[in-house]
Structure formats: structure tokens, C-alpha cells
């Protein structure tokens, strides 16, 4: 049956580029000790051969396939092949535990998995229950070994899919609770043109590096669909283990990378290095997303490199929603302005848009027209999906203020906002002031119970190596916040810690700190 609205990323984008610009660079990968370069023609052929191989195994339209390949070169041909087959890829990160993996397989009812050997090891007992257990880069009992780079299969072009057909399931980061399963349709890759053009600012001459693992939706934004929608090339690093700022800076200065995307946690560590020792001869653009980006970090990076870090805001459920487009004046601390095609606003609890200067829920107008790039829904969770919609709007769950110029200022996740003596306090502003201090590496600000004020602001602070915690330092930090912003926001309690609880993707889990504070208070009469 011919689809009403045919669209398929593999066929309509990759195979088309393979014809129009066959020799253009698509992927530059650091792999073992070499740098592997692949053109769009290579990706088209490799994904076509992989599609033929997967089809011969019995994987087809609508089948859900768990993908855990990290930055292995197999990730790209496999993802495009599954898209061509109309199968539903369900990427996960290499840091998932056996329990996480089983949870994902169970709730998604995935019948197949294409994973690295270390992931197959975590799924030993599960292999027998999977219809297609496939391992890349090694051999394991009960697993079929596969290498997309050494196939002699013919090229299979795939099926014409409909725009509304499902193509991807991503799990959210799990910052506020259990990760949610987000279903996207075939139009989602196409909608990342918005991400690539208006935020990443990529063109066909660019080499874009996104450092995140391929298991997150961020990879769809920045390591797969975004750059390839506009014909730019993707750079893939081989960094493993704990993030090392020196290694990051070395890669950025020695490869012809023109554009880089990293989360604020990375930039926060990078700007604590001596950046005057490095040059980045090719770099033209730096962007950040995933968490709020502290203004101080933008300023230091700019002094050292001449570049603004351009913040962008969105979710696993969406493409880019708000961002700083290339060339737009930056207001450090603001997420920027709405992306084209999205009517973004902040609304009150009744779904009424608020005037500039008032804090509300960040919302996307979805009536009368639902914008492309917004998820189909949470898998197996109709109720959870419906909760996201109020009146004509989709609610992101984040709070912000819009200024007179239309710039959005992130206040915090709705649950993270602190209400003390009747004042509403967003953790982000206080955290940003704390990290301005030279002694501070990272900070997380949460509510803590207080018999008089109801809640107070409490800061958990990680100090830079070599700095000792003391009552005097706590007071210095408190005074700094008091003098830089309305004094009611200063952290009445400060606890020095060696690290902060984070998601595997590196986001601060304030919920964990907050829960501990409130449980502690319950126990102490
Ligand atoms: P979960 O939904 O499971 O709790 P999560 O919301 O962290 O996890 P993601 O979809 O990866 O999962 O992240 C989207 C969220 O990240 C946004 O809703 C917002 O809270 C935060 N975020 C993303 N970009 C920015 C940004 N530029 N500034 C501030 N916050 C951001
Ligand atoms: Mg979320």
C-alpha cells in the first residue's frame, strides 16, 4: 500500500545525498588508532546492505529493536538501516545496568537487540527470549555476530514509510523519576532541520562534534538527524570513562571540527582549565543544551575563544524549542528565543499566556496545528501523555520568565522551584551565582524544610580540588549571593559535598537531594 504522506529519512535524505553529493563527507570517526572517513555514498550503501541483512534475519516494519552501540561505527549504518526498514529503534546508553536493560526490554516489548559485547554480557539470560539477539564487535553464545562494515549483501532500499509511522523510541534522562518512553514518528528526523539550521547553524561545509552518548535523544539532535538533514558531516570521538577536559580540548584543537555541542557539565569543567594554552583553528560555533547554562561559563569561554556558547532548550519529546541562533545577540543566562515553527509561551495553571516578566509554565501551542517534531506520546502511558496537554498547549514541565525582547529565562523544573516565606525561588539563578566564585566547581540548590519559613534555600556545593570547606567559606558564598541578587534568595544552609547525584547523562538530580532533606527532617523531631 502506498502511504498517504510518504517520508523516510534513509531514502529521502541519505540516499538522495548519495546521488547528489556522493563524495561529500558524512562521518569522521576516531576509531582505534585511525580516523575513519565515510561519504554519504558510503552511508547509503552500508545502510542498504545492513537493511538487507536485518531483513534476512526477519526484522521488519514496526519491530522494536533495542540499540546499545555507544560510539561504535556500527551505530550509524544500523540506525539508518532500521529507519529504511520502518523498524522502531530504541537506543540506550552503554552505562545502562542489567536491571535498566531488562526494564527497557520489558516495557517496550522489544523483540530484538543490537548491542556491544559488554551489553550482551549483561543480557546473558535474556538472549534466549529475544527473537533476534545481535552482537557487534565480538562473539557471545546465543548471540548472532554482526559487522555492518564487512557485508557482501546486496543493497536493500527499504520501504516507503508514512510520515505518521513510528520510527524511534527514546527514554528520557530520568532526572525527575523513572525514564519515560517517548515515541516519535518518521517526521521527527525531518523536523531536526529546525535544530540544525537555527541552533547548530550548520551548512554543508561543517564538521559537527556532539560529545554525548548515542543512547540519548541528544544524539538524534546532534549526532544523526540534525547535521545530516542539512548535509553537514558528523565527527565521532573515542573518549571513554570519566570525562577528561584535557582530552576534550586536545580533540577540539587537533581535528578540523567547526562546530561543537556539549552539555553545561562539560563546559563548567572545561572553563576551569587554562584555556590560554589551547587554540582551536577550525572552531566557529559552540552550543550547549540539556541543563541551564551558567552566564559565568559563557563569559570565560568567550574571553578565551572569542565564541559565545549558544544555549538551546528542548526535550526528548521535542526538537529544538528555544535557542540562540547564530549571530543573534546573546543575553548570558537566557536560553534565547523560540525556534521557528514553534509558538512558545509561558502560561498560568489555567493555560492563559502570561505577560513579560511573569513566571509560568513553558508551553507549546498545539492547536489548531500540532507542530512537527513533537512526540506522538509516551508508550503504554495514555494518562501520562494527556497530563502534558492543557487547553491549547503542551506543557514542558519547566518554568521560565519571558522578557520584553522575547528571550526566555529558565527558572527551574516545576518541581525544583523553592517557595520560601512566600517567595518563589528558582534554583538556577542561585547555582549560577555560586559557581561564579573561584572556589566552587559545582552547586545544586534545593528546598529544605524550615519550621518558620516552610522551606529554605539550601545549597550543596562541590569545591575545586585543593580548596578546604569551612564555615568562613560558607559565609563568603552566602554573602556573594546576597549582594548579587535579591537577598531573600541566598542559601541559608550550605553543605559541602564531594560530588552531586547525577543521571547517567550527567544531569544534576535535585530530586534526590531534596528528598533526603525532607526525610531527614521527618526523622529529627
Ligand atoms: P525526565 O523527563 O526523565 O525527568 P529529563 O527531563 O532530564 O528527564 P530530557 O528530555 O533529556 O530528560 O531533558 C529535557 C529537560 O532538560 C528539559 O525539560 C529541561 O528541564 C532540561 N533542559 C534542556 N535544555 C535546557 C536548557 N538549555 N536550559 C535549561 N534546561 C534545559
Ligand atoms: Mg523531562
Amino acid at each position: 500500500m502506498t502511504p498517504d504522506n510518504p517520508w523516510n529519512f534513509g531514502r529521502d535524505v541519505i540516499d538522495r545525498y548519495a546521488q547528489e553529493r556522493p563524495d561529500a563527507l558524512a562521518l569522521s570517526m576516531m576509531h582505534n588508532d585511525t580516523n575513519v572517513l565515510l561519504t554519504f555514498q558510503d552511508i547509503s550503501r552500508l545502510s542498504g546492505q545492513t537493511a538487507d541483512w536485518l531483513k534476512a534475519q526477519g526484522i521488519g516494519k514496526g519491530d522494536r529493536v533495542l540499540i546499545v552501540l555507544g560510539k561504535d561505527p556500527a551505530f550509524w549504518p544500523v540506525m539508518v538501516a532500521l529507519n529504511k526498514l520502518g523498524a522502531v529503534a530504541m537506543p540506550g546508553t552503554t552505562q545502562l545496568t542489567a536491571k535498566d536493560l531488562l526494564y527497557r526490554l520489558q516495557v517496550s516489548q522489544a523483540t530484538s537487540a543490537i548491542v556491544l559485547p559488554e551489553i550482551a554480557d549483561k543480557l546473558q539470560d535474556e538472549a534466549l527470549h529475544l527473537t533476534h539477539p545481535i552482537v557487534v564487535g565480538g562473539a557471545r553464545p546465543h548471540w548472532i555476530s554482526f559487522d555492518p562494515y564487512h557485508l557482501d549483501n546486496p543493497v536493500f532500499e527499504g520501504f516507503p514509510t508514512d510520515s505518521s509511522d513510528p520510527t524511534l523510541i527514546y527514554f528520557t534522562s530520568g532526572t525527575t523519576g523513572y525514564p519515560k518512553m517517548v515515541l516519535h514518528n518518521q517526521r521527527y528526523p525531518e523536523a531536526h532541520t529546525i535544530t540544525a539550521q537555527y541552533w547548530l547553524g550548520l551548512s554543508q561545509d561543517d564538521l559537527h562534534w556532539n560529545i554525548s552518548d548515542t543512547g540519548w535523544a541528544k544524539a538524534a539532535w546532534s549526532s544523526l538527524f540534525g547535521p545530516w538533514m542539512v548535509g553537514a558531516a558528523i565527527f565521532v570521538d573515542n573518549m571513554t570513562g570519566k570525562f577528561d577536559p584535557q582530552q576534550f580540548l586536545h580533540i577540539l584543537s587537533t581535528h578540523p571540527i567547526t562546530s561543537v555541542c556539549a552539555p553545561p557539565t562539560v563546559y563548567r569543567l572545561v572553563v576551569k582549565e587554562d584555556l590560554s594554552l589551547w587554540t582551536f583553528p577550525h572552531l566557529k560555533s559552540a552550543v550547549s543544551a540539556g541543563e541551564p547554562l551558567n552566564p559565568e561559563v559563557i563569559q570565560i569561554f568567550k574571553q578565551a575563544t572569542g565564541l559565545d556558547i549558544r544555549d538551546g532548550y528542548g526535550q526528548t519529546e521535542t526538537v529544538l524549542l528555544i535557542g540562540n541562533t547564530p549571530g543573534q545577540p546573546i543575553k548570558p543566562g537566557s536560553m534565547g528565543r523560540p525556534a521557528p515553527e514553534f509558538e512558545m509561551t509561558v502560561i498560568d495553571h489555567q493555560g492563559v499566556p502570561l505577560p513579560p516578566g511573569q513566571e509560568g509554565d513553558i508551553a507549546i501551542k498545539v492547536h489548531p496545528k500540532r507542530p512537527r517534531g513533537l512526540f506522538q506520546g509516551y508508550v503504554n502511558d495514555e494518562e501520562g501523555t494527556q497530563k502534558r496537554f492543557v487547553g491549547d498547549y503542551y506543557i514542558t514541565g519547566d518554568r521560565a520568565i519571558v522578557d520584553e525582547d522575547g528571550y526566555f529565562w529558565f527558572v527551574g523544573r516545576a518541581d525544583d522551584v523553592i517557595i520560601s516565606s512566600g517567595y518563589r525561588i528558582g534554583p538556577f539563578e542561585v547555582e549560577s551565582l555560586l559557581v561564579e566564585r573561584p572556589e566552587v566547581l559545582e552547586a545544586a540548590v534545593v528546598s529544605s524544610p524550615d519550621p518558620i519559613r516552610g522551606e529554605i534555600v539550601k545549597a550543596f556545593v562541590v569545591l575545586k580540588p585543593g580548596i578546604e570547606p569551612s564555615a568562613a567559606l560558607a559565609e563568603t558564598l552566602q554573602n556573594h549571593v546576597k549582594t548579587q541578587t535579591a537577598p531573600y534568595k541566598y542559601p541559608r544552609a550550605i553543605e559541602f559535598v564531594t560530588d552531586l547525584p547525577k543521571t547517567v547523562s550527567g544531569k544534576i538530580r535535585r530530586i534526590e537531594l531534596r528528598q533526603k532533606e525532607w526525610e531527614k527532617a521527618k526523622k529529627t523531631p
Side-chain angles (χ1 to χ4, degrees):
M1 207 175 71
T2 318
D4 294 339
N5 224 337
W7 167 260
N8 182 270
F9 173 77
R11 292 160 58 100
D12 293 325
V13 179
I14 297 300
D15 293 353
R16 199 194 70 220
Y17 277 132
Q19 299 209 327
E20 290 170 5
R21 303 172 59 231
D23 300 326
L25 183 68
L27 258 187
S28 167
M29 296 182 284
M30 294 171 74
H31 184 56
N32 300 330
D33 292 330
T34 54
N35 201 21
V36 181
L37 299 176
L38 297 177
T39 62
F40 280 102
Q41 196 174 37
D42 294 329
I43 303 292
S44 169
R45 177 181 51 81
L46 290 165
S47 60
Q49 288 182 308
T50 301
D52 185 73
W53 189 88
L54 293 172
K55 187 165 73 77
Q57 301 299 311
I59 294 179
K61 198 162 180 219
D63 289 344
R64 293 180 180 175
V65 187
L66 175 75
I67 304 291
V68 188
L69 292 172
K71 291 177 184 171
D72 190 280
F75 175 78
W76 288 266
V78 164
M79 288 299 285
V80 179
L82 289 170
N83 179 267
K84 285 181 172 176
L85 288 172
V88 182
M90 203 177 70
T93 116
T94 49
Q95 284 154 303
L96 294 176
T97 61
K99 192 167 151 252
D100 297 332
L101 291 161
L102 284 178
Y103 169 74
R104 282 168 191 229
L105 285 172
Q106 272 156 14
V107 288
S108 68
Q109 293 165 339
T111 50
S112 310
I114 308 177
V115 301
L116 295 170
E118 63 262 35
I119 302 295
D121 291 338
K122 294 183 193 171
L123 285 171
Q124 260 167 6
D125 301 337
E126 205 49 32
L128 300 173
H129 304 295
L130 289 167
T131 332
H132 308 292
I134 299 168
V135 65
V136 170
R140 292 292 184 273
H142 309 299
W143 289 79
I144 307 159
S145 294
F146 174 56
D147 176 359
Y149 287 86
H150 291 95
L151 293 173
D152 51 15
N153 289 51
V155 164
F156 178 66
E157 286 173 5
F159 306 112
T161 48
D162 193 89
S163 296
S164 62
D165 286 341
T167 185
L168 272 165
I169 295 174
Y170 271 114
F171 281 76
T172 59
S173 301
T175 314
T176 54
Y178 275 114
K180 299 177 281 274
M181 281 167 62
V182 172
L183 181 68
H184 281 293
N185 65 24
Q186 291 280 352
R187 276 205 96 186
Y188 168 76
E190 185 206 14
H192 273 303
T193 310
I194 301 170
T195 312
Q197 281 184 338
Y198 299 100
W199 177 51
L200 302 175
L202 297 176
S203 65
Q204 297 190 345
D205 303 325
D206 281 308
L207 181 60
H208 178 69
W209 180 28
N210 165 35
I211 78 154
S212 77
D213 186 279
T214 60
W216 302 112
K218 186 76 177 307
W221 285 46
S222 206
S223 307
L224 187 62
F225 303 126
W228 281 354
M229 278 308 302
V230 296
I234 294 164
F235 180 81
V236 183
D237 65 81
N238 60 357
M239 296 192 295
T240 50
K242 198 170 167 345
F243 174 73
D244 174 0
Q246 295 273 332
Q247 197 184 3
F248 171 87
L249 290 164
H250 178 73
I251 294 175
L252 200 57
S253 68
T254 51
H255 288 267
I257 296 162
T258 59
S259 166
V260 66
C261 175
T265 34
V266 161
Y267 288 115
R268 281 196 287 264
L269 294 176
V270 164
V271 297
K272 303 272 170 183
E273 297 290 315
D274 183 356
L275 291 177
S276 68
L277 301 175
W278 300 89
T279 55
F280 312 105
H282 301 277
L283 193 64
K284 290 186 301 194
S285 163
V287 296
S288 162
E291 277 193 297
L293 178 64
N294 318 91
E296 170 80 355
V297 175
I298 300 179
Q299 271 142 14
I300 301 175
F301 194 81
K302 173 120 186 179
Q303 274 161 17
T305 65
L307 295 173
D308 284 313
I309 306 174
R310 293 181 296 105
D311 194 11
Y313 165 86
Q315 305 185 297
T316 305
E317 292 88 336
T318 70
V319 293
L320 177 81
L321 297 175
I322 296 169
N324 290 283
T325 53
Q328 167 189 321
I330 301 273
K331 294 194 185 189
S334 156
M335 305 192 291
R337 292 184 297 185
E341 299 186 30
F342 285 97
E343 212 178 311
M344 303 298 304
T345 181
V346 299
I347 59 173
D348 68 13
H349 290 305
Q350 274 82 44
V352 178
L354 292 165
Q358 283 193 33
E359 181 203 308
D361 291 309
I362 304 179
I364 309 173
K365 185 112 184 285
V366 291
H367 289 296
K369 191 166 176 266
R370 194 179 166 108
R372 62 177 174 154
L374 183 62
F375 74 148
Q376 299 270 91
Y378 297 119
V379 179
N380 304 337
D381 188 7
E382 186 49 34
E383 200 188 329
T385 307
Q386 284 315 318
K387 275 197 196 140
R388 288 291 197 175
F389 293 89
V390 173
D392 286 350
Y393 295 94
Y394 163 85
I395 312 286
T396 62
D398 296 310
R399 309 274 299 173
I401 294 170
V402 187
D403 70 16
E404 294 285 350
D405 300 325
Y407 282 70
F408 281 63
W409 297 77
F410 185 79
V411 172
R413 289 168 183 268
D415 297 341
D416 287 343
V417 172
I418 304 158
I419 300 166
S420 182
S421 304
Y423 292 111
R424 296 177 59 83
I425 301 160
F428 171 53
E429 185 189 354
V430 183
E431 289 164 7
S432 289
L433 289 169
L434 289 169
V435 298
E436 271 180 20
R437 290 288 317 175
E439 304 89 348
V440 176
L441 192 62
E442 281 190 305
V445 164
V446 300
S447 73
S448 179
D450 182 83
I452 299 159
R453 295 183 171 83
E455 297 180 5
I456 57 159
V457 178
K458 173 160 181 180
F460 290 83
V461 174
V462 182
L463 295 172
K464 278 217 274 186
I467 309 279
E468 289 302 317
S470 68
L473 179 56
E475 206 181 319
T476 309
L477 300 183
Q478 287 171 321
N479 285 336
H480 178 70
V481 179
K482 259 191 221 169
T483 52
Q484 299 297 311
T485 184
Y488 68 82
K489 296 180 189 171
Y490 90 93
R492 284 175 190 274
I494 290 196
E495 186 173 329
F496 294 106
V497 288
T498 47
D499 50 23
L500 297 172
K502 290 187 179 156
T503 62
V504 279
S505 60
K507 294 190 189 203
I508 300 172
R509 295 197 76 228
R510 292 177 192 78
I511 184 173
E512 236 173 82
L513 296 168
R514 186 167 63 238
Q515 277 172 353
K516 271 196 204 135
E517 282 302 296
W518 288 77
E519 274 159 25
K520 208 166 63 189
K522 265 192 239 150
K523 282 185 203 137
T524 35

